[in-house]
Amino acid sequence: MADKRQNNRRNNRNNDEDYNPKFRKVRRKVCPLCADKNLILDYKNPEQLKKFINDKGKILPRRASGACAKHQRDITVAVKRSRHIALLPYTQN
């Protein structure tokens, strides 16, 4: 019985030396603003900015939005400007 388990483990490896069943390789997210060059971030467009805030009204972090550092700063500034002129709410009820 133990030999079968070891054989299954060996077969599942796919000849990959760095194989570890506890960790799976996750594909890196691509920045949505870098990927689409025609997409311009604008604080006057709240529909576009709603993609980058959660249901409570908080700005999503880079790991969740997939934005690069440069565009995450632009997103933050745009959301804050939009909130200031009351196009986006500070909180959601």
Side-chain angles (χ1 to χ4, degrees):
M1 188 71 156
D3 293 333
K4 275 188 172 180
R5 286 186 197 150
Q6 278 186 331
N7 283 339
N8 283 341
R9 287 184 191 144
R10 285 188 199 129
N11 291 341
N12 289 339
R13 251 173 131 186
N14 298 329
N15 297 325
D16 188 9
E17 297 299 323
D18 296 329
Y19 176 76
N20 189 342
K22 292 182 182 177
F23 301 102
R24 60 186 182 106
K25 293 181 182 178
V26 179
R27 216 179 106 185
R28 185 115 172 114
K29 289 185 179 179
V30 179
C31 176
L33 298 169
C34 288
D36 187 9
K37 297 293 182 183
N38 296 330
L39 184 66
I40 298 172
L41 197 64
D42 188 17
Y43 71 95
K44 294 173 279 191
N45 189 356
E47 294 302 318
Q48 181 186 29
L49 295 176
K50 284 182 183 177
K51 297 176 191 171
F52 301 107
I53 59 174
N54 66 7
D55 56 344
K56 293 184 178 181
K58 293 183 175 184
I59 301 170
L60 291 174
R62 279 183 57 197
R63 67 180 179 271
S65 67
C68 63
K70 175 186 171 187
H71 287 121
Q72 183 66 29
R73 287 190 297 268
D74 294 342
I75 290 167
T76 303
V77 170
V79 169
K80 289 179 180 179
R81 284 180 181 168
S82 185
R83 284 176 178 165
H84 186 73
I85 62 172
L87 293 176
L88 281 178
Y90 281 94
T91 60
Q92 301 282 340
N93 290 340

